[in-house]
Amino acid sequence: MNLRKFCLTIFLLTIVLYCFARTDTPGRLSDSLNLKASYNSSLIYPGARLGAEYSVKSFKVVKTKKSGKMKDFDKERFVSANLGWYHHPYFHDNFYFTAGWTMRRTKSTGFFTEFSPEIGLSRTFLGGTTYKVDNNGNVSVVRLAGYYYALLSIGGGVGYDFSKIRHKPFMLFYKFNLLSLYPYNSTIYLRPAMEIGVIYKLHFFHHVKSKF
């Protein structure tokens, strides 16, 4: 996959996310947008991840137990765009862009669980100096050597929403993701990644400001 196709695909994924955001009433984008930032570790190798998620569906579920006690929780559905990176000093630096669908379930106490499949593109940069030899035997250094991959990610996480009880516009979360890169030597390359981060709720901040 060349650079032009890579950039075109990222552009198309961004347009898809924007179209989801515009399917509701005008001005609703800032009322439904969350920003995400996290420490992103692949095994012991450090990295970071930034993203945004837009709410497309939200509803409350109330259940009554046999004891008569009421149990309620919120179900939310988001589309998301994310940019991730990790650094493996003896292998590569991996930058990857994904678009995904997040299913989140939040209890009235603030604790939540989520599951999110994502699809996107990966660009790696090799960790060492890379050389190439032409047909005449001349050796030259390849700058920014690396590869493009199609990427599929499956992730699950837990966290706490501080807006439920403490009325703060953020959430803390931990998430485990399994990345699969293709084609990798004609096979699929699997890579685990773990996130610890914060989600900032722009719509909560907007509503708090409107009271004054």
Side-chain angles (χ1 to χ4, degrees), residues 172-184:
L172 298 180
F173 72 95
Y174 167 83
K175 189 175 181 182
F176 176 84
N177 300 298
L178 182 62
L179 312 179
S180 58
L181 281 62
Y182 179 84
Y184 185 85

Side-chain angles (χ1 to χ4, degrees), residues 1-209:
M1 182 181 297
N2 58 37
L3 180 60
R4 182 179 298 177
K5 290 181 179 179
F6 178 75
C7 294
L8 178 60
T9 305
I10 289 179
F11 175 75
L12 292 176
L13 288 173
T14 305
I15 291 297
V16 169
L17 179 64
Y18 177 78
C19 290
F20 271 111
R22 299 297 297 177
T23 54
D24 216 321
T25 56
R28 188 173 182 269
L29 179 59
S30 63
D31 292 344
S32 304
L33 188 68
N34 297 337
L35 301 181
K36 303 170 64 177
S38 63
Y39 173 78
N40 183 45
S41 173
S42 178
L43 299 176
I44 61 173
Y45 305 109
R49 201 168 190 230
L50 299 174
E53 57 183 25
Y54 179 78
S55 176
V56 295
K57 189 175 183 181
S58 177
F59 54 95
K60 182 175 290 291
V61 178
V62 179
K63 294 183 178 181
T64 304
K65 296 183 178 181
K66 292 182 179 180
S67 61
K69 185 178 180 181
M70 304 291 289
K71 178 183 179 182
D72 66 277
F73 54 88
D74 296 333
K75 283 188 175 183
E76 296 177 280
R77 302 293 182 261
F78 301 87
V79 289
S80 67
N82 307 277
L83 179 63
W85 159 77
Y86 66 81
H87 172 66
H88 190 315
Y90 308 110
F91 187 23
H92 63 212
D93 280 83
N94 186 11
F95 292 85
Y96 52 99
F97 177 88
T98 62
W101 176 257
T102 300
M103 295 168 281
R104 183 174 296 145
R105 171 174 166 164
T106 307
K107 296 181 178 180
S108 57
T109 56
F111 291 97
F112 70 84
T113 58
E114 68 176 41
F115 174 77
S116 58
E118 299 175 9
I119 189 170
L121 290 167
S122 166
R123 175 60 161 98
T124 62
F125 297 90
L126 300 182
T129 303
T130 303
Y131 302 90
K132 70 176 180 179
V133 181
D134 62 21
N135 294 332
N136 297 320
N138 299 314
V139 179
S140 60
V141 175
V142 179
R143 299 186 181 278
L144 301 178
Y147 303 96
Y148 291 98
Y149 300 99
L151 182 146
L152 176 65
S153 172
I154 301 294
V158 296
Y160 183 79
D161 186 345
F162 284 84
S163 70
K164 289 295 182 181
I165 296 179
R166 301 178 183 271
H167 305 290
K168 302 295 183 181
F170 62 90
M171 308 159 67
L172 298 180
F173 72 95
Y174 167 83
K175 189 175 181 182
F176 176 84
N177 300 298
L178 182 62
L179 312 179
S180 58
L181 281 62
Y182 179 84
Y184 185 85
N185 295 331
S186 300
T187 61
I188 298 176
Y189 176 66
L190 299 178
R191 189 85 188 174
M194 293 168 285
E195 291 182 77
I196 298 177
V198 61
I199 300 173
Y200 188 79
K201 307 178 77 169
L202 290 182
H203 70 283
F204 185 90
F205 180 72
H206 174 77
H207 293 326
V208 170
K209 283 190 66 178

